[in-house]
Amino acid sequence: MHILETIGAFILAIGILVLIHESGHFWVAKFMGVKVLKFSIGFGPALISRRWGKDRTEYVIAALPLGGYVKMLGEQAGEEVMPEDRTRTFEQLAPGKRFLITLAGPAANLLFAIIAYAGVAWIGIPGLAPIVGLVNDHSLAAQAHLQPGQRITSLNGQQVYTWEDMRMGLLSAAIARVPAHLETTEQGRLSTHTLPLQSLKADSVGPDFVGKIIGMEPYLPATVGAVEAKSPAAQAGLVAGDRITGINHHPVPSWESLARHIESHPDKTMEMTYRTAAGISKTIQIKPQMFLDKAGKAIGRIGIVMAPLPKDLIVIRQRGPLEGLIYGAHSTWQMSWMTVEMMVRMVQGFVSPDNISGPISIAEYAGQSAQAGVAPFLSFLALVSISLGVLNLLPIPILDGGHLVFYALEMVRGKPLSPAVVQKAQQIGIVLLLMLMSFAFYNDITRLMTP
């Protein structure tokens, strides 16, 4: 059932974004007086097909949902045009008008992102409090003297409300290759910390950037939510509500720290201290069972599940109508610029190409965000819409950006490029796009096979 929900969320998300993109082309073309022959969501055989309007435009939902298109009269060479429609062809338009029709698709995606992010701001999206739970030894976070229990309040002058705010701020600083200046509070004490992200090694920015490169994890209480029957935890007497405080005389500041201690001690007896829900301190001996992960590495497990987060660790911030729109515009600009900067840094070798996601990863994120609620799903749609808009603006023949270059050159030269040049450029564009898609699929498959 989970797989069906994921597939359904993916089809819904892609359908919405393709509809937005193609609607941009469609409405501007109609405004320019161009006759639209077909508006298709998806490719391949038509599942649903209807004709409406005085132009009898065919509206189609096709079998393959990965894309769509708007077919306008006169787009294809040698196409038969009735005498009464000769002034309504795409090709008879001035290059500036064709430029605007082509630009309208990506622009619609960016406009939708503004509205979607504004919706997120109005609804309010739950976020994890930006409290440090674990700092790895010798990591950048440790060198900056960050410590468990500190609450991050600002990053490079921007207020931080949630752990996601902090994560995105660090990613943005790393991509821009500038230092990250953090301000933290702990028991009323203010501290400042600097992460020298401008000196990161090439190819550093990738999945789990904060955990692997910065070396810190958010605070999640090490409180037991459930205990598996006949597990080491059950045999040792642990029950729901117990809070683990130490292992082998080392403090346990968070659930992440607890998990790492247990995983790194398979089949080895440990001394564990904990406090019951009634406040009674106890010490037990426990031996984690040994399991093999996907890579064949031995890890330990004791059979416990983390308790739900307490309300004081969940942050929900709602904004008013105007503030929400401002937030939507600012977030869209920030994410668009970050996307472009990431592409440039990827070419330069400073950002890992592992960040490129394909349909499988997008489907997973769609399913997860849809299950999380309306606001997370809107946030996901906004992010993918920005990616779709920016990607289509790349000056690659066959994409909207490639056509924009053709029309811009036509405006400068006073005449269009020759059909042979356009055809050759589009063949190159197809090869580049296939290479990009192949790499995205490779990343998806690698992620599925990686533990």
Side-chain angles (χ1 to χ4, degrees), residues 17 27 53 110 167-168 199 209 296 339 348:
L17 297 179
W27 287 113
L110 298 178
R167 188 184 74 86
M168 292 304 299
S199 57
F209 169 74
T339 301
Q348 293 174 337

Short mmCIF file of all heavy atoms in Angstrom, two decimals, residues 17 27 53 110 167-168 199 209 296 339 348:
data_model
loop_
_atom_site.label_atom_id
_atom_site.label_comp_id
_atom_site.label_asym_id
_atom_site.label_seq_id
_atom_site.Cartn_x
_atom_site.Cartn_y
_atom_site.Cartn_z
N LEU A 17 2.84 19.95 -11.64
CA LEU A 17 3.94 20.80 -12.11
C LEU A 17 3.98 20.90 -13.63
O LEU A 17 4.28 21.97 -14.18
CB LEU A 17 5.27 20.26 -11.57
CG LEU A 17 5.39 20.27 -10.04
CD1 LEU A 17 6.73 19.69 -9.60
CD2 LEU A 17 5.22 21.68 -9.50
N TRP A 27 -1.35 29.80 -22.19
CA TRP A 27 -2.10 31.05 -22.04
C TRP A 27 -1.41 32.23 -22.72
O TRP A 27 -2.09 33.10 -23.29
CB TRP A 27 -2.33 31.34 -20.55
CG TRP A 27 -3.36 30.43 -19.97
CD1 TRP A 27 -3.16 29.46 -19.03
CD2 TRP A 27 -4.75 30.36 -20.31
NE1 TRP A 27 -4.32 28.79 -18.77
CE2 TRP A 27 -5.32 29.33 -19.53
CE3 TRP A 27 -5.56 31.07 -21.20
CZ2 TRP A 27 -6.67 29.00 -19.62
CZ3 TRP A 27 -6.90 30.74 -21.27
CH2 TRP A 27 -7.45 29.72 -20.49
N GLY A 53 -13.56 24.49 -27.08
CA GLY A 53 -13.28 25.83 -27.58
C GLY A 53 -13.53 25.98 -29.07
O GLY A 53 -13.72 25.00 -29.81
N LEU A 110 8.10 29.19 -11.57
CA LEU A 110 8.63 30.03 -10.50
C LEU A 110 7.51 30.79 -9.79
O LEU A 110 7.56 30.95 -8.56
CB LEU A 110 9.67 31.00 -11.08
CG LEU A 110 10.91 30.33 -11.70
CD1 LEU A 110 11.84 31.38 -12.28
CD2 LEU A 110 11.64 29.47 -10.68
N ARG A 167 19.98 23.95 8.40
CA ARG A 167 20.57 23.09 7.36
C ARG A 167 20.65 23.80 6.02
O ARG A 167 21.68 23.76 5.34
CB ARG A 167 19.73 21.81 7.23
CG ARG A 167 20.36 20.75 6.33
CD ARG A 167 19.43 19.55 6.18
NE ARG A 167 18.31 19.87 5.31
CZ ARG A 167 18.34 19.77 3.99
NH1 ARG A 167 19.44 19.38 3.37
NH2 ARG A 167 17.28 20.07 3.28
N MET A 168 19.55 24.48 5.63
CA MET A 168 19.54 25.19 4.36
C MET A 168 20.53 26.35 4.37
O MET A 168 21.18 26.65 3.36
CB MET A 168 18.14 25.69 4.04
CG MET A 168 17.12 24.59 3.75
SD MET A 168 17.62 23.51 2.39
CE MET A 168 17.71 24.69 1.05
N SER A 199 36.70 26.96 2.96
CA SER A 199 37.91 26.14 2.74
C SER A 199 37.59 24.65 2.64
O SER A 199 38.48 23.82 2.76
CB SER A 199 38.91 26.38 3.87
OG SER A 199 38.33 26.09 5.14
N PHE A 209 24.88 16.44 4.26
CA PHE A 209 26.00 17.38 4.39
C PHE A 209 26.27 17.76 5.84
O PHE A 209 27.42 17.76 6.30
CB PHE A 209 25.71 18.63 3.55
CG PHE A 209 26.64 19.78 3.79
CD1 PHE A 209 27.93 19.74 3.29
CD2 PHE A 209 26.23 20.89 4.51
CE1 PHE A 209 28.80 20.80 3.49
CE2 PHE A 209 27.09 21.95 4.72
CZ PHE A 209 28.38 21.90 4.21
N GLY A 296 27.06 -5.51 4.62
CA GLY A 296 27.69 -6.65 5.27
C GLY A 296 28.44 -6.31 6.54
O GLY A 296 29.14 -7.15 7.11
N THR A 339 20.07 26.97 -6.58
CA THR A 339 20.09 25.91 -7.59
C THR A 339 21.09 26.22 -8.69
O THR A 339 21.87 25.35 -9.11
CB THR A 339 18.68 25.73 -8.20
OG1 THR A 339 17.75 25.41 -7.17
CG2 THR A 339 18.67 24.63 -9.24
N GLN A 348 32.40 23.00 -11.40
CA GLN A 348 33.73 23.33 -10.89
C GLN A 348 34.31 22.22 -10.01
O GLN A 348 35.50 22.21 -9.72
CB GLN A 348 33.67 24.63 -10.09
CG GLN A 348 33.36 25.86 -10.93
CD GLN A 348 33.17 27.10 -10.09
OE1 GLN A 348 32.86 27.04 -8.91
NE2 GLN A 348 33.39 28.27 -10.71
#
